[in-house]
């Protein structure tokens, strides 16, 4: 285990041409900083000794008041399509890539400090992040990891008394240390395409290949093959979001990771009651990023990426790569839903079985995570009444009819109740980061400077599949006040 000063930095991104970023140091808070939360799981990814979090230097390093030895801080340049419109100059407006650490297993991790002050890409922004939004991102990224969904990770949150003005009023500033295999986004490519800097485009593609897709290095067709891999990874990510009921909220191309991990958590939301048209972003008036549109938007975003990569490949090659999207998405989604239903194999009639369930869930506003978890208790015996599962559905007759079909389907493959339930409990989470849960943690943190709830959720969501009798209440659907939480982009 390493001390902070022993982290082995490599900083390959800072070796790229100067056009790719701006070198600058983070701006420390104007008021004293303190540790809000530390995540030992993420620290382990960079071989960092968890005891290091107790040193006063830890907060100094991760709030920008002391440079980490060996790091080369830069703000990364990118552009992107926001709500369908191209915005030529974005970049890290409030985040700084401190550097890259390679762990003993050879994996590389970017250390990214979000809320680190203004950069040349800040436009009118203050370069800060507020405690509320850093808690949301930190907890959600760890919750997603616990669910087995590729994501950036959260190493720690550092808070301060510095005042930050947002739509909601005066808030306190905070910084989040985020880790990712790379922070290169679709928008990192788009910026060089629209600037016609095609040499840079090729350099970036080769950089991403060398760092993240080394098996493609040197191949003559490495660029179309890179696109194909991004297409497939993105398709798989979308399938995972849909299966678990996660809505990202701001799927702009600058928030799309080139390695297919969930990136930039803003006004995200997990489905409580099953509503495919769910819009979690208060500012998304047209519902562009509504839950059920995510698979299409993923495709739209890949199209924007493919367009940007055209100088590196033929149109034919780009089209061929994009054509892999739908089959990859559908196959993965089916596979995930098959597992959620506890089936061993996907049969032609199972699409109808699934749709039938989702329809009665939608009509009856049935809680999505609770219903799938409870489905594990369904027995294949036709006389099984299962009142607790049945009670979740408003339209009991519709549910009974569906359950009869389902039990028949289970018997048709000789499914064994006990073993199936175990399998289902490993894919249907007991706990998800519902908006009301994160809201309670935020209120406690911002009003009382009490971070116990943040720590409790972090601990609970590391393994959202385990039964935790002492934490049973965290599995509950939201109380009435918790159903109406609106989250804006302001963060
Ligand atoms: P986001 O909606 O967080 O993905 O941000 C979109 C763009 O605005 C990115 O370039 C961000 O870096 C930038 N940005 C967001 N909030 C701020 C802020 N408070 N100060 C400066 N730049 C910001
Ligand atoms: Mg962003």
């Amino acid at each position: 285990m390493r001390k902070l000063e022993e982290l082995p930095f490599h900083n390959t991104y800072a070796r790229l041409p100067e056009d790719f970023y701006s070198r600058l140091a983070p701006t420390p808070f104007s008021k004293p900083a303190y540790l809000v939360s530390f995540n030992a799981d993420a620290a382990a990814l960079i071989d960092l000794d968890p005891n290091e979090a107790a040193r006063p230097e830890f907060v100094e390093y991760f709030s920008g008041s002391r440079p980490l030895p060996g790091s080369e801080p830069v703000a990364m340049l990118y552009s992107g399509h926001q709500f369908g419109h191209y915005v030529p100059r974005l970049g890290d407006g409030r985040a700084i890539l401190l550097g890259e650490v390679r762990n003993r297993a050879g994996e590389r991790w970017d250390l990214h400090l979000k809320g680190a002050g203004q950069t040349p890409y800040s436009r009118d922004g203050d370069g800060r992040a507020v405690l509320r939004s850093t808690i949301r991102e930190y907890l959600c990224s760890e919750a997603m990891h616990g669910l087995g969904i590729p994501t950036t990770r959260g190493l720690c949150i550092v808070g301060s008394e510095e005042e930050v003005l947002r739509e909601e009023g005066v808030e306190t500033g905070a910084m989040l240390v985020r880790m990712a295999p790379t922070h290169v986004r679709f928008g990192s490519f788009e910026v060089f395409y629209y600037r016609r800097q095609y040499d840079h485009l090729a350099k970036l593609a080769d950089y991403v290949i060398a760092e993240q897709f080394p098996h493609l290095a040197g191949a003559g067709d490495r660029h179309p093959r890179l696109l194909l891999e991004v297409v497939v990874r993105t398709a798989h990510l979308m399938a995972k979001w849909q299966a678990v009921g996660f809505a990202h909220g701001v799927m702009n191309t600058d928030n799309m990771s080139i390695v297919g991990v969930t990136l930039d958590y803003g006004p995200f939301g997990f489905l409580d009651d099953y509503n495919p048209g769910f819009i979690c972003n208060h500012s998304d008036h047209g519902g562009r990023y509504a839950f059920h549109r995510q698979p299409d938007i993923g495709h739209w975003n890949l199209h924007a990426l493919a367009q940007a990569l055209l100088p590196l490949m033929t149109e034919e090659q780009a089209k061929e790569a994009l054509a892999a999207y739908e089959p990859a998405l559908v196959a993965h989604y089916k596979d995930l839903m098959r597992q959620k239903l506890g089936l061993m194999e996907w049969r032609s009639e199972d699409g109808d079985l699934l749709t039938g369930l989702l329809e009665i869930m939608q009509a009856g506003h049935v809680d999505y995570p609770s219903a799938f978890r409870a489905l594990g208790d369904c027995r294949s015996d036709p006389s099984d009444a299962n009142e607790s599962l049945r009670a979740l559905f408003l339209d009991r007759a519709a549910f009974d009819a569906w359950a009869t079909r389902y039990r028949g389907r289970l018997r048709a493959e000789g499914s064994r109740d006990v073993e199936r339930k175990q399998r289902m409990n490993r894919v249907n989470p007991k706990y998800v980061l519902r908006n009301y849960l994160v809201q309670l943690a935020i209120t406690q943190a911002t009003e009382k400077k009490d971070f116990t709830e943040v720590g409790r959720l972090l601990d609970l969501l590391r393994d959202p599949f385990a039964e935790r009798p002492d934490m049973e209440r965290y599995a509950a659907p939201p109380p009435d006040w918790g159903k109406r939480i609106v989250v804006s982009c302001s963060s």
Side-chain angles (χ1 to χ4, degrees), residues 78 82 89-95 114 117-119 121-129 166 185 250 252 254-255 264 489 491:
Y78 55 82
Q82 298 196 318
R89 193 179 166 85
L90 292 168
D92 286 337
R94 54 166 168 174
K114 194 163 176 177
Q118 287 178 322
T119 77
Y121 316 110
S122 295
R123 298 179 292 168
D124 298 326
D126 56 15
R128 289 304 189 204
R166 287 292 178 267
R185 305 139 190 272
V250 207
N252 294 332
D254 51 297
N255 292 338
D264 270 3
C489 266
S491 63

Side-chain angles (χ1 to χ4, degrees), residues 453-472:
E453 203 56 29
V454 173
R456 193 173 293 137
L457 286 174
L458 183 68
D459 173 53
L460 176 70
L461 296 166
R462 305 170 69 199
D463 184 3
F465 302 104
E467 290 286 341
R468 296 265 301 258
D470 55 323
M471 303 293 274
E472 196 64 30

